[in-house]
Amino acid sequence: MKFLILIMILGFFQISFAQNPIIQTKYTADPAPMVYNDTVYLYTSHDEDDAFGFKMKDWLLYTSTDMVNWTDHGVVASLKDFKWVNTDNGAWAPQVVERKGKFYMYCPMPNNMGIGVLVADSPYGPFTDPIGKPLIKNSLDDIDPTVLIDDDGQAYLYWGNPNLWYAKLNEDMISLAGPITKDPSFAKVKDQPDPFKYQEGPWVWKKNNHYYMAYASKCCPEGIGYAMAKSPTGPWNYGGVIMDGDQRSSGNHPGIIDFKGRSYVFGFNHMLRIQTMSKHYERRSVSVTEITYNADGTIQKLPFWTADGAKRVGTLNPYKKVEAETMAYSEGLKTEMVTEWERNQPYNRGKKITDRIIVTSINNGDYIKIQGVDFSKGVKSLDVNVASLYGGKIEVHSDALNGPVLGVVNVTGKGEGDLYKTINTPLKSVKGIHDLYFVFKGEKDLFYFDWWKFNEN
């Protein structure tokens, strides 16, 4: 009896961790998290699936309210948004900040073209170029921008590899308020050791009256080091190492936030690529873990990215429509944006009906895991919205990949990959907080998956 009670308690108060890497449907790098309205907006650079070296054309956006389930919002901006950029490759590490209801995206450009800025009225975009030229065009070091808006409202832009540079920004966030300065604390001194081992990828923030500058340290592989200061312009003192470099990732790029009372560091490794490829390719994957501050403000050192990431800090409501590209973990799947038009005539498509981000490449044995689903109202049935290719099944499991089966969705029909329909399937009832697995069964490419929704008892 006591054992059964314990199982019920664990099922209701289940503690789940993020599974690193946190994005599996695309290769992602250079994480730039931003907290806004109780949501983490995670902007990333994007390695193409066939990349050997750096093949990066656009920037992606993911969101989470619980640090374990991440929703893919697709491409949020690209090099094409800068009319003065003459290449389609080189969408390197960005950062987005919010000020007075507008969102500013700072983007480095390849080939010594400088650092540009985009602006939007929403964190989801669309982002546009307000100045039509580089905001920063100073030296070969002009990459990896990071921004701090201090308590007095003064904004600072930092960047650089292998030196750290900074400048004040005007309140409009798209023009400079002062000279460009090379930070002497990080300056490379010929024939002398560098105590900071600063390499690139700076990330600046303020916490408890301490200013912090984390960065990719030493090369290669790169770890994550940090420095501390009493003012946003230094002098900076070496703080230590957040994470040592490791052969499982040649580079690194920190992104650090506070969210729901906890502190997190984001970075990347090559663990997703290593699952299928033995040689080195620039196909990276973002990971996250919690960080701990000591009483004096220093940061406790972490091991290299573990499979377990951050703890879940919220639950997911299954009784409203959930996009299928909301995942804690997946295997074998991709995501893609598709546009549905009024007519399928190339020169007369009519009105756009909708843009959809869908789950694709669904084959036998692939699955989606969602963590911390709150079935407080019980379960009567499940709605899924799909477009059938060859058809197949969705097994709905609770708590484990081979856990109890709540029901099976039959996706019938073939050759309907451009016709989305909603299928309702009765399920066994379940209550409490549970992890959820959609396990796909069938032959060939099964179907496209758009969204799902549980119906309560």
Side-chain angles (χ1 to χ4, degrees):
M1 183 66 179
K2 290 181 179 181
F3 177 75
L4 291 176
I5 294 173
L6 177 61
I7 292 297
M8 292 173 63
I9 292 173
L10 289 175
F12 190 81
F13 295 102
Q14 189 178 53
I15 297 175
S16 303
F17 290 83
Q19 288 183 245
N20 286 326
I22 59 174
I23 309 298
Q24 308 85 40
T25 56
K26 294 185 177 78
Y27 292 111
T28 55
D30 306 321
M34 177 188 70
V35 177
Y36 180 72
N37 284 351
D38 296 322
T39 298
V40 178
Y41 292 82
L42 176 63
Y43 300 86
T44 77
S45 60
H46 171 211
D47 295 327
E48 297 291 335
D49 284 357
D50 61 351
F52 281 77
F54 295 110
K55 187 177 181 182
M56 307 164 70
K57 299 182 177 183
D58 46 37
W59 295 280
L60 308 179
L61 171 61
Y62 299 85
T63 60
S64 180
T65 58
D66 56 20
M67 291 301 296
V68 293
N69 297 302
W70 294 92
T71 301
D72 185 348
H73 298 275
V75 174
V76 72
S78 78
L79 292 171
K80 295 179 181 178
D81 294 313
F82 297 96
K83 302 305 181 187
W84 47 273
V85 172
N86 60 9
T87 180
D88 65 352
N89 183 18
W92 297 340
Q95 188 176 355
V96 177
V97 296
E98 181 271 338
R99 184 164 197 170
K100 295 184 177 179
K102 289 189 177 293
F103 301 85
Y104 300 89
M105 185 174 191
Y106 299 87
C107 307
M109 298 301 152
N111 306 327
N112 196 29
M113 283 188 283
I115 295 172
V117 59
L118 301 173
V119 64
D121 294 324
S122 162
Y124 302 100
F127 284 89
T128 58
D129 183 353
I131 60 176
K133 62 181 181 179
L135 173 62
I136 299 293
K137 189 169 176 59
N138 178 60
S139 74
L140 292 173
D141 295 346
D142 293 347
I143 66 169
D144 295 349
T146 183
V147 176
L148 170 74
I149 303 176
D150 207 354
D151 298 337
D152 62 1
Q154 179 61 60
Y156 299 82
L157 175 67
Y158 309 79
W159 69 93
N161 172 344
N163 298 290
L164 182 72
W165 301 78
Y166 69 88
K168 290 183 178 181
L169 293 172
N170 285 313
E171 189 172 348
D172 64 10
M173 302 296 285
I174 59 173
S175 61
L176 301 185
I180 293 174
T181 303
K182 181 189 287 188
D183 194 298
S185 300
F186 290 85
K188 303 297 181 184
V189 181
K190 186 177 181 181
D191 299 327
Q192 292 186 17
D194 175 15
F196 290 7
K197 300 193 184 314
Y198 173 85
Q199 184 67 28
E200 59 183 345
W203 183 273
V204 66
W205 76 104
K206 185 179 183 182
K207 184 179 178 68
N208 297 333
N209 296 318
H210 295 293
Y211 295 87
Y212 293 86
M213 185 72 69
Y215 50 87
S217 60
K218 200 177 178 179
C219 187
C220 286
E222 292 177 342
I224 300 176
Y226 73 99
M228 299 172 64
K230 295 182 179 179
S231 87
T233 58
W236 296 91
N237 297 303
Y238 182 60
V241 174
I242 296 176
M243 182 180 295
D244 285 327
D246 188 281
Q247 293 298 329
R248 289 168 286 180
S249 181
S250 57
N252 226 314
H253 191 292
I256 295 175
I257 56 168
D258 287 347
F259 182 62
K260 294 188 176 180
R262 299 175 183 269
S263 299
Y264 302 94
V265 58
F266 293 75
F268 63 76
N269 57 32
H270 283 250
M271 296 311 295
L272 188 63
R273 187 265 302 168
I274 290 171
Q275 290 178 9
T276 56
M277 297 289 178
S278 61
K279 298 178 182 178
H280 178 83
Y281 306 86
E282 289 299 343
R283 303 175 193 175
R284 298 161 291 175
S285 299
V286 167
S287 292
V288 66
T289 192
E290 194 170 341
I291 58 174
T292 302
Y293 292 87
N294 297 312
D296 63 356
T298 56
I299 300 171
Q300 293 182 15
K301 186 177 178 180
L302 293 166
F304 188 72
W305 305 110
T306 62
D308 286 339
K311 289 181 181 178
R312 177 170 57 80
V313 293
T315 57
L316 186 143
N317 178 5
Y319 306 113
K320 65 178 184 179
K321 187 170 73 173
V322 179
E323 296 299 327
E325 62 274 12
T326 298
M327 306 175 183
Y329 204 79
S330 68
E331 283 196 3
L333 306 175
K334 292 290 183 183
T335 54
E336 179 182 342
M337 176 174 282
V338 295
T339 300
E340 187 175 349
W341 298 92
E342 187 178 16
R343 292 182 292 273
N344 284 345
Q345 299 174 13
Y347 302 103
N348 186 19
R349 294 181 296 184
K351 295 180 181 179
K352 183 169 73 172
I353 296 175
T354 188
D355 286 324
R356 304 174 188 263
I357 296 180
I358 58 173
V359 177
T360 66
S361 299
I362 301 175
N363 291 281
N364 186 60
D366 296 341
Y367 70 88
I368 294 172
K369 175 183 179 181
I370 306 100
Q371 291 191 10
V373 182
D374 186 358
F375 292 108
S376 58
K377 300 176 183 179
V379 169
K380 180 180 180 181
S381 63
L382 170 67
D383 293 332
V384 300
N385 189 257
V386 295
S388 181
L389 299 172
Y390 288 92
K393 299 178 183 294
I394 306 174
E395 294 181 355
V396 184
H397 295 254
S398 64
D399 298 321
L401 190 59
N402 59 351
V405 177
L406 303 181
V408 178
V409 179
N410 289 300
V411 181
T412 58
K414 294 182 179 181
E416 299 176 349
D418 51 357
L419 298 175
Y420 288 85
K421 59 186 179 183
T422 300
I423 301 171
N424 177 267
T425 302
L427 297 182
K428 297 177 182 176
S429 189
V430 63
K431 279 199 171 185
I433 298 173
H434 297 269
D435 290 348
L436 182 67
Y437 291 78
F438 292 128
V439 183
F440 306 109
K441 300 292 184 179
E443 298 180 359
K444 301 183 180 181
D445 287 336
L446 306 186
F447 40 79
Y448 298 139
F449 193 3
D450 190 12
W451 56 263
W452 55 269
K453 174 180 174 292
F454 280 81
N455 301 300
E456 61 189 82
N457 274 330

